[in-house]
Amino acid sequence: MSGGGPEAKKGSDSIRIKPITLEVSKTRYVFAISYPPNIYVFELSRKRKGGRITVSLYIGRSTDDLQYVAESDLDTVSEMISSQDDEFLKAHVDAVVDLIHSAIGRWDYDARVERIRRLVSRSIPKLSPHSPLSPEGGLETIALETISLLATYINQGRLVLDKVVLGTKEFLGEIPSELLEVVLTIAATLKIVNRAKGRTSERPPWLVVVAPPSSLKTTVLKLLYDSRYVYWIQNFTPASLLPAKQDVPPLIDAIHNKLFIIPTLSEETADRENTRKVFAALESIYDGEYGRSTAVGGQVRKIVDTVVVAAVTPAVWERVLPYIENIGSRWLVYRFDLDDRAALRMYREQLKRLDRAFPMLRQVVSRFLDLVMETVTDDDLDAVYIPHEYDEDLDDLALLMAKLRACWGREQWRDEETGKVSEVLRVYHVESPIRARSQLTLFVRANTVLRRDSVEKTVGLPTVDAHAMKLAAKLAISSTSNDMMELVLFLAKNQGRHMTVREIEKATGISRSQIDRLIKVLSHPKVGVYDPDAGEVLDPYYRIICKYLLDGCREDEEAQA
């Protein structure tokens, strides 16, 4: 049994000590810390609940050669750790003691959850919703059955992303569970890189999750926390990627071949200059190699293959976006906002249940990610059939995505005689759709592979379906500013209606000056998405928006006519 459990930090930097729970019972709690080259195993034992706790320490290069080192009671555990002839333990006495106390704090709860898990896996029908075995008032039978069933599928090595999402939906609701599907799919795209074959040019897309505060972004991401293929960090500096000091482990090594999760980018983007530095450093590792010159070691270069998933609020992302548009984006964007009523209903009906089931659900989802990273290959991603219809739609989605990422700006000047300020809007460039096409294609391939058990097959090959295409369309339309996305969707919904700027402002909440600028961008010859004279979003963009984002609005108009 693996678990996230407590965590600690090395000194004041961001290198984490991530313990792995090995065994939990009423009388034993065993967890391990891996800090190369050694593994440190701590065995907490007691004769009964509330009794005297003994801490035993084992050290080895692997689990096969662990050696018993020392034993002490809880009162003297700090002295036992500091007395060891081990550099890591001596440097982290307080952190390790904190981990031990955190484990003790969770001991009874984890033991109870583990007992329920074993009972459920043996005989689900015999457990009633009001069983006294359930922690703090009981986990509903259906919740336990769902988690146990998912664990069974994963233990069988089955790629059942749709079932994982459906099971998570019982606890989180529809939108957060869809976010989990997008994140797991993005993680699977890392498998397109295969250095053994020399396949490194096609790069996996990265993901930014944009949603208001308190909208379950971090809760969803924490479901992956226990995976051995996740590196989780609260904040970082560009210098930590490849430190100048030789004795400081580089972050590059820690994130190689892993999903690199940054649950909030708020601190990193506190000001414009810091934003530029952080994203320049992140995007510099996108192509698979990172290097820097240091006064100590000269030019240093490292190979790195990773997928970055970062969560931000809309306010932060709108500050970041101009810089991204200027250099061309490596990111796909998933936006969501929970309706107030739906959020309150979710709190009443789901989140209280989630709080009790979360440890088990996190283990299951993390194990599914482990399965994905250990079984999916680049050959699997290649062996996905994309029907001709969807292949053409991916072209159109990539064009729309590239057009909406256009880099534009305003230039102003003042007439010396009249004092009047004039403004001209310039579209500096529109990126080629090649990268957008690659990102969206790899996304739908990965999503199809992860639902391999349930999707249709064409000549034995898993086949891209409308579900994967709708998710890709959401990512495509979201990869621009919120105002641009909202305006384009509004114009498509009101196709052919000649609405005034004031009417659009009243309906969307976007300022009139911003609406005027965005319409100029959309109708610019380099962009060509909107015709203001006809009041129409142009094809193929209108067709693709209706098909995947507005549930076929053109057909609705024809039916009304």
Side-chain angles (χ1 to χ4, degrees):
M1 181 180 76
S2 66
E7 64 182 75
K9 295 186 177 182
K10 177 183 176 183
S12 59
D13 62 26
S14 57
I15 298 174
R16 303 181 45 206
I17 304 170
K18 186 174 181 179
I20 303 171
T21 304
L22 301 178
E23 180 183 339
V24 180
S25 68
K26 286 184 178 181
T27 58
R28 296 181 72 214
Y29 194 116
V30 184
F31 69 91
I33 301 170
S34 176
Y35 197 91
N38 289 333
I39 294 176
Y40 304 85
V41 175
F42 294 86
E43 178 188 27
L44 314 182
S45 58
R46 64 189 180 188
K47 292 184 178 181
R48 63 183 184 280
K49 181 179 177 180
R52 175 177 172 271
I53 296 174
T54 301
V55 182
S56 301
L57 171 63
Y58 302 81
I59 302 177
R61 294 298 177 96
S62 70
T63 53
D64 295 329
D65 69 346
L66 287 174
Q67 301 294 323
Y68 170 79
V69 175
E71 179 181 300
S72 75
D73 58 29
L74 195 59
D75 294 334
T76 59
V77 69
S78 178
E79 290 80 358
M80 179 194 75
I81 294 170
S82 61
S83 65
Q84 302 306 312
D85 187 18
D86 184 279
E87 292 182 3
F88 168 74
L89 291 178
K90 286 184 176 180
H92 302 83
V93 174
D94 292 339
V96 172
V97 171
D98 287 343
L99 288 176
I100 293 171
H101 283 283
S102 296
I104 293 171
R106 290 184 53 84
W107 192 341
D108 293 330
Y109 177 78
D110 283 356
R112 196 160 53 229
V113 169
E114 175 63 12
R115 184 182 179 193
I116 293 172
R117 189 191 65 78
R118 290 196 303 268
L119 287 170
V120 171
S121 63
R122 290 200 301 265
S123 180
I124 291 172
K126 295 181 181 179
L127 184 63
S128 75
H130 306 291
S131 170
L133 298 175
S134 302
E136 304 302 331
L139 291 173
E140 290 84 342
T141 302
I142 187 171
L144 289 169
E145 183 173 355
T146 297
I147 294 173
S148 180
L149 188 60
L150 289 176
T152 301
Y153 286 139
I154 294 166
N155 288 336
Q156 293 170 351
R158 297 172 61 183
L159 295 176
V160 287
L161 176 61
D162 48 339
K163 291 181 173 60
V164 171
V165 172
L166 188 62
T168 308
K169 187 177 177 181
E170 292 185 15
F171 302 96
L172 292 173
E174 183 172 355
I175 295 178
S177 61
E178 184 179 89
L179 168 59
L180 177 64
E181 178 175 7
V182 170
V183 173
L184 286 168
T185 301
I186 289 289
T189 64
L190 179 58
K191 306 304 291 184
I192 198 64
V193 179
N194 188 330
R195 291 194 173 269
K197 294 181 180 179
R199 186 173 186 175
T200 60
S201 59
E202 188 174 4
R203 307 304 299 176
W206 293 355
L207 182 70
V208 170
V209 181
V210 183
S214 189
S215 55
L216 302 182
K217 300 187 297 295
T218 304
T219 299
V220 171
L221 294 177
K222 278 185 175 180
L223 289 173
L224 307 170
Y225 189 89
D226 290 348
S227 171
R228 65 175 66 93
Y229 295 97
V230 165
Y231 189 86
W232 178 291
I233 192 170
Q234 290 292 345
N235 54 73
F236 79 103
T237 62
S240 67
L241 289 171
L242 200 55
K245 295 182 178 180
Q246 299 291 328
D247 58 339
V248 179
L251 186 59
I252 285 290
D253 291 345
I255 65 176
H256 183 52
N257 287 331
K258 290 186 179 180
L259 178 63
F260 181 24
I261 295 180
I262 310 172
T264 173
L265 271 174
S266 301
E267 294 183 25
E268 286 79 1
T269 55
D271 58 71
R272 188 178 298 275
E273 180 60 21
N274 204 39
T275 297
R276 187 192 65 79
K277 290 180 180 179
V278 166
F279 274 85
L282 281 174
E283 300 208 353
S284 66
I285 68 175
Y286 179 84
D287 293 323
E289 193 173 280
Y290 182 72
R292 62 172 293 192
S293 298
T294 66
V296 178
Q299 181 71 20
V300 182
R301 302 196 72 82
K302 287 271 190 177
I303 289 174
V304 55
D305 299 317
T306 187
V307 166
V308 181
V309 173
V312 298
T313 62
V316 171
W317 182 241
E318 296 301 315
R319 187 165 67 240
V320 170
L321 195 57
Y323 172 75
I324 298 260
E325 290 174 341
N326 187 47
I327 64 173
S329 179
R330 278 74 169 162
W331 305 81
L332 291 175
V333 181
Y334 182 83
R335 293 178 183 270
F336 73 94
D337 194 356
L338 295 177
D339 173 78
D340 291 342
R341 294 291 181 185
L344 292 174
R345 185 169 60 252
M346 184 187 302
Y347 169 76
R348 289 194 302 271
E349 299 175 3
Q350 293 169 313
L351 293 186
K352 290 183 179 179
R353 182 170 55 167
L354 170 67
D355 185 54
R356 298 194 292 271
F358 193 83
M360 289 185 289
L361 186 62
R362 183 173 68 185
Q363 283 189 14
V364 168
V365 175
S366 295
R367 283 166 56 194
F368 181 75
L369 178 58
D370 290 345
L371 174 67
V372 168
M373 302 303 283
E374 291 167 3
T375 61
V376 173
T377 67
D378 58 317
D379 292 331
D380 293 325
L381 296 173
D382 289 337
V384 171
Y385 176 69
I386 303 179
H388 180 68
E389 172 195 356
Y390 293 150
D391 200 46
E392 290 187 336
D393 289 348
L394 285 169
D395 281 345
D396 295 336
L397 283 173
L399 283 169
L400 176 64
M401 186 169 159
K403 301 285 189 182
L404 297 184
R405 284 175 169 177
C407 179
W408 60 276
R410 296 174 291 151
E411 296 180 5
Q412 296 180 338
W413 68 90
R414 181 184 298 273
D415 189 300
E416 296 295 339
E417 295 181 1
T418 63
K420 182 180 178 180
V421 177
S422 299
E423 177 182 292
V424 62
L425 184 142
R426 297 193 184 280
V427 175
Y428 300 116
H429 64 251
V430 177
E431 70 176 75
S432 164
I434 294 175
R435 179 182 289 142
R437 180 61 153 94
S438 174
Q439 291 173 330
L440 296 176
T441 302
L442 189 51
F443 178 86
V444 297
R445 287 181 179 276
N447 185 263
T448 303
V449 168
L450 298 194
R451 295 184 294 119
R452 188 162 53 196
D453 273 21
S454 59
V455 297
E456 292 185 2
K457 308 295 190 298
T458 303
V459 198
L461 300 178
T463 303
V464 171
D465 57 12
H467 174 81
M469 292 297 295
K470 285 183 178 181
L471 288 178
K474 287 184 179 182
L475 295 172
I477 195 72
S478 297
S479 296
T480 182
S481 69
N482 187 69
D483 286 348
M484 179 71 85
M485 180 187 72
E486 294 289 346
L487 180 61
V488 169
L489 291 175
F490 178 81
L491 294 174
K493 288 177 183 176
N494 295 275
Q495 182 81 335
R497 292 181 60 189
H498 291 274
M499 302 184 69
T500 65
V501 173
R502 184 183 294 274
E503 288 175 320
I504 298 174
E505 177 191 37
K506 185 176 180 180
T508 64
I510 306 171
S511 70
R512 277 176 280 176
S513 59
Q514 181 73 340
I515 292 170
D516 183 63
R517 295 184 191 110
L518 293 179
I519 287 179
K520 287 179 180 177
V521 173
L522 292 171
S523 57
H524 192 280
K526 290 183 179 179
V527 180
V529 170
Y530 183 68
D531 181 353
D533 295 330
E536 293 182 350
V537 176
L538 300 177
D539 274 332
Y541 312 116
Y542 177 68
R543 179 190 67 82
I544 210 74
I545 290 171
C546 284
K547 184 175 182 178
Y548 294 114
L549 299 171
L550 299 179
D551 297 324
C553 47
R554 174 168 282 165
E555 290 76 10
D556 292 343
E557 291 172 2
E558 292 174 353
Q560 291 173 5

